[in-house]
Amino acid sequence: DQFDNLDKHTQWGIDFLEKYAKFVKERIEIEQNYAKQLRNLVKKYCPKRSPKDEEPRFTSCIAFFNILNELNDYAGQREVVAEEMGHRVYGELMRYSHDLKTERKMHLQEGRKAQQYLDMCWKQMDNSKKKFERECREAEKAQQSYERLDNDTNATKADVEKAKQQLNLRTHMADENKNEYAAQLQNFNGEQHKHYYIVIPQIYKQLQEMDERRTIKLSECYKGFADSERKVIPIISKCLEGMILAAKSVDEHRDSQLVIDCFKSGFEPPGDFPFEDYSQNIYRTISDGTISTPKQEGMRIDSKTTVGKAKGKLWLFGKKPKGPALEDFSHLPPEQRRKKLQQRIDELNRELQKETDQKDALIKMKDVYEKNPQMGDPGSLQPKLTETMSNMDRLRMEIHKNEAWLSEVEGKVAARSDRRHSSDINHLVTQGRESPEGSYTDDANQEVRGPPQQHAHPNEFDDEFEDDDPLPAIGHCKAIYPFDGHNEGTLAMKEGEILYIIEEDKGDGWTRARRHNGEEGYVPTSYIDVTLEKNSKGA
């Protein structure tokens, strides 16, 4: 008899389910916005791609960037939480809510139909009851009319007979309605019993099961809501551990050493300014308490030279002059120049090794093609092989040139470290207004030294090794391939040409040779077939 209350209760259950689904949806939006804001924060503070020289090297910077990476992974886990909640909780709730509404509507319709059918049976029974009651009253009236005429002496026999027939008719109709009423009453009682003991309890049981399933579903969603968070806890813990490890990796001593290595110039601190006595030409009596300077020609110092040298050094500890970057890095202090040259030599060596490996591979492929012509044409590899060997020659020349600059820098640094703070006067005069590196002066027009002029020294490498007497020949060689010799210090040769060997390959891929006319230069070792004299090897 509480059908309406159960209708309201099941509707409240569905409303509560949808309310919780709305809560989960808002939580998902919070997680998504949180993850998005974290990623934007990481993107804002992450360094953009920078050249290799500008990459962060300090441990504090590297630790911070590692923390940003871990934070980015953490943001990804928040997105995983939102995705898991959306799929496992919110999506499931919305599907179940739709199914629940459909099932509830079906059960309520069945209950209403059963109630309508019972009401119809009651109306039929009530109609038959009212009809039976009416017929009974009519029969009583007919009986009273018959009894009155039968006792009336003035009534005719025909009137009495007519009243008797009317009484019999009404009595018969009352009996029929009585039977109809009894049948309808019995049918209604049966349907009512069935309604309250079978139909409605079954519908209520289905509604109860539906409501209990809704409660169980809510319980599962509560658990899934928590599990979505708990699944990512191990990964989040690893992210936090990564942040802690990044913090522990900060090394203040290493950062300080990096600063030292970065800004170490290699120059010596400026020397003491000499005392310049301008009173030497003034005649006065020398007494014991008077300071005097002996007149020594060797101690006479050019003031312009001294001041020029001092000014040339001051830039090391003040503002560094600006100038274009030079190929030999001579615009840098010695120590920084040495590092840059060493880095360039290492890079060139790596490139040379790649080209060497490529040349070896091409030679092997050429041999295979020569042995098996059906696999390919050996001549098709010659252009690539020539290009590779040309690249190797160019790289060897670059390495040789940079090594010469590096030797020059290392020689100057070594000489400067041995030099005493008080340089002799001749050295000062020689240096003039030039700085210790020879790159900067206090003259603004000559502040930056120009790059080496190739035309001024057409045989740069020959000048480096040039002696008073020509080197003796230690063997001879035959050119296997032609070599153009366009680069400085190289010697052009034709295929099959015979040259004298005056200096062996020292591991850089170049051999020093001389023609019959006395012209000397370097040729690629891989381009010649060398024959050394037995008694001259290692001379």
Side-chain angles (χ1 to χ4, degrees):
D1 59 350
Q2 297 297 317
F3 185 82
D4 293 338
N5 290 331
L6 290 179
D7 184 4
K8 293 178 181 178
H9 173 73
T10 52
Q11 182 61 43
W12 171 87
I14 293 176
D15 292 341
F16 182 78
L17 186 75
E18 292 180 343
K19 183 178 181 180
Y20 178 69
K22 185 179 179 182
F23 161 78
V24 174
K25 182 181 179 181
E26 292 182 2
R27 169 66 189 278
I28 291 171
E29 292 175 353
I30 290 174
E31 290 289 348
Q32 290 174 341
N33 292 332
Y34 179 48
K36 183 179 179 180
Q37 291 175 0
L38 284 179
R39 288 196 183 276
N40 290 336
L41 182 67
V42 171
K43 185 178 179 181
K44 178 180 178 181
Y45 285 93
C46 260
K48 296 180 181 179
R49 290 187 176 180
S50 59
K52 187 175 181 181
D53 294 340
E54 297 181 7
E55 291 181 356
R57 296 173 294 170
F58 297 105
T59 57
S60 56
C61 297
I62 296 174
F64 176 62
F65 297 142
N66 289 337
I67 289 174
L68 289 178
N69 291 332
E70 296 294 346
L71 188 62
N72 191 58
D73 295 341
Y74 177 82
Q77 295 308 308
R78 303 319 307 178
E79 291 174 347
V80 171
V81 170
E83 184 179 355
E84 186 72 12
M85 285 183 179
H87 174 72
R88 185 176 176 182
V89 181
Y90 179 72
E92 186 66 23
L93 282 174
M94 296 307 295
R95 287 192 296 271
Y96 187 75
S97 174
H98 180 268
D99 296 342
L100 200 64
K101 289 178 181 178
T102 304
E103 184 180 359
R104 173 179 174 274
K105 182 179 180 181
M106 181 185 67
H107 294 325
L108 292 179
Q109 285 178 350
E110 291 177 355
R112 291 190 181 96
K113 286 180 180 178
Q115 188 66 40
Q116 289 173 0
Y117 179 73
L118 184 64
D119 292 343
M120 183 187 69
C121 292
W122 181 83
K123 286 181 180 180
Q124 291 177 353
M125 184 272 296
D126 187 59
N127 289 334
S128 63
K129 177 183 176 182
K130 289 179 179 178
K131 190 175 181 181
F132 171 61
E133 182 182 3
R134 186 172 61 251
E135 291 297 332
C136 285
R137 284 197 299 268
E138 293 294 332
E140 288 177 359
K141 288 179 181 179
Q143 186 175 4
Q144 291 175 0
S145 176
Y146 170 74
E147 289 176 354
R148 186 178 68 250
L149 290 174
D150 189 35
N151 295 327
D152 188 4
T153 55
N154 296 323
T156 61
K157 187 177 180 178
D159 292 335
V160 172
E161 188 65 25
K162 185 177 179 181
K164 185 177 179 181
Q165 290 178 355
Q166 187 68 24
L167 175 62
N168 291 333
L169 178 62
R170 290 297 177 184
T171 302
H172 178 71
M173 291 182 67
D175 291 339
E176 288 182 353
N177 286 319
K178 179 181 179 182
N179 294 333
E180 179 69 19
Y181 169 64
Q184 291 293 338
L185 181 63
Q186 184 178 2
N187 179 61
F188 173 75
N189 289 333
E191 293 296 333
Q192 181 175 253
H193 184 274
K194 180 181 178 181
H195 178 80
Y196 285 107
Y197 287 92
I198 299 175
V199 178
I200 291 297
Q202 185 177 359
I203 293 174
Y204 284 1
K205 184 178 180 181
Q206 291 173 348
L207 288 173
Q208 179 181 352
E209 292 175 352
M210 180 193 72
D211 195 62
E212 288 176 353
R213 288 198 307 273
R214 175 190 64 82
T215 306
I216 293 172
K217 178 61 68 174
L218 279 174
S219 174
E220 292 175 353
C221 289
Y222 294 159
K223 184 175 180 294
F225 185 83
D227 285 341
S228 300
E229 184 86 21
R230 187 171 60 181
K231 281 182 179 179
V232 301
I233 287 179
I235 302 178
I236 290 178
S237 298
K238 290 183 179 179
C239 293
L240 298 177
E241 289 175 3
M243 294 181 185
I244 294 174
L245 291 175
K248 291 180 178 179
S249 67
V250 176
D251 187 349
E252 66 278 9
H253 301 297
R254 183 179 175 186
D255 286 356
S256 298
Q257 189 60 42
L258 284 174
V259 175
I260 294 171
D261 293 340
C262 182
F263 298 111
K264 184 178 179 181
S265 66
F267 286 115
E268 291 181 3
D272 296 337
F273 280 85
F275 177 75
E276 301 180 22
D277 191 359
Y278 298 101
S279 64
Q280 293 180 4
N281 297 326
I282 300 175
Y283 176 80
R284 60 180 175 178
T285 304
I286 299 176
S287 62
D288 295 339
T290 303
I291 300 177
S292 63
T293 305
K295 293 184 180 181
Q296 297 179 3
E297 189 67 27
M299 293 299 293
R300 209 172 273 175
I301 300 173
D302 188 356
S303 60
K304 292 183 180 180
T305 303
T306 307
V307 175
K309 177 174 175 64
K311 286 185 178 179
K313 281 190 174 182
L314 286 177
W315 72 268
L316 296 172
F317 306 97
K319 187 175 181 181
K320 185 177 180 180
K322 294 182 180 179
L326 302 179
E327 184 185 6
D328 60 350
F329 300 112
S330 60
H331 61 288
L332 296 176
E335 186 66 23
Q336 301 303 320
R337 183 186 180 194
R338 184 187 64 79
K339 289 182 180 179
K340 291 288 185 181
L341 289 172
Q342 188 62 53
Q343 290 176 3
R344 182 188 287 173
I345 290 172
D346 293 340
E347 292 176 1
L348 291 172
N349 282 324
R350 286 193 292 269
E351 293 180 12
L352 179 61
Q353 184 60 41
K354 290 181 182 178
E355 295 292 339
T356 304
D357 295 341
Q358 185 176 0
K359 184 198 74 171
D360 295 341
L362 289 171
I363 291 175
K364 290 181 181 178
M365 190 180 296
K366 185 177 180 181
D367 293 341
V368 172
Y369 285 176
E370 289 176 350
K371 294 177 181 178
N372 301 292
Q374 68 274 10
M375 296 183 66
D377 181 16
S380 63
L381 300 177
Q382 188 60 37
K384 185 66 176 176
L385 188 60
T386 304
E387 180 185 354
T388 303
M389 298 184 74
S390 177
N391 292 336
M392 292 173 62
D393 296 338
R394 177 182 56 81
L395 290 172
R396 288 193 183 102
M397 289 295 298
E398 288 291 329
I399 293 172
H400 199 81
K401 182 168 60 175
N402 283 273
E403 285 179 346
W405 289 334
L406 182 61
S407 300
E408 175 190 354
V409 175
E410 289 177 344
K412 287 187 177 182
V413 171
R416 188 174 292 108
S417 62
D418 296 336
R419 190 183 305 145
R420 303 177 63 89
H421 289 291
S422 56
S423 303
D424 57 19
I425 298 172
N426 293 331
H427 177 71
L428 289 175
V429 173
T430 302
Q431 291 286 358
R433 297 173 62 85
E434 188 177 354
S435 69
E437 177 57 23
S439 302
Y440 299 93
T441 67
D442 57 343
D443 186 356
N445 297 325
Q446 298 179 353
E447 189 176 63
V448 181
R449 187 178 65 187
Q453 300 295 326
Q454 295 181 357
H455 299 291
H457 301 283
N459 295 319
E460 180 182 352
F461 291 96
D462 290 346
D463 294 343
E464 184 178 351
F465 298 96
E466 188 176 2
D467 296 327
D468 295 336
D469 297 326
L471 294 175
I474 60 174
H476 65 276
C477 66
K478 182 180 181 180
I480 305 174
Y481 305 103
F483 180 61
D484 51 17
H486 288 327
N487 295 326
E488 296 179 10
T490 59
L491 182 65
M493 61 181 181
K494 299 179 181 179
E495 184 177 355
E497 185 177 357
I498 305 298
L499 303 172
Y500 293 115
I501 302 296
I502 58 176
E503 188 177 320
E504 289 186 75
D505 185 354
K506 296 182 179 180
D508 57 357
W510 294 91
T511 300
R512 193 174 182 185
R514 182 169 60 222
R515 278 203 181 92
H516 296 283
N517 58 6
E519 185 180 357
E520 297 182 2
Y522 286 93
V523 295
T525 307
S526 57
Y527 279 43
I528 58 176
D529 183 12
V530 180
T531 303
L532 297 177
E533 302 293 340
K534 293 182 180 180
N535 57 352
S536 300
K537 241 180 192 183

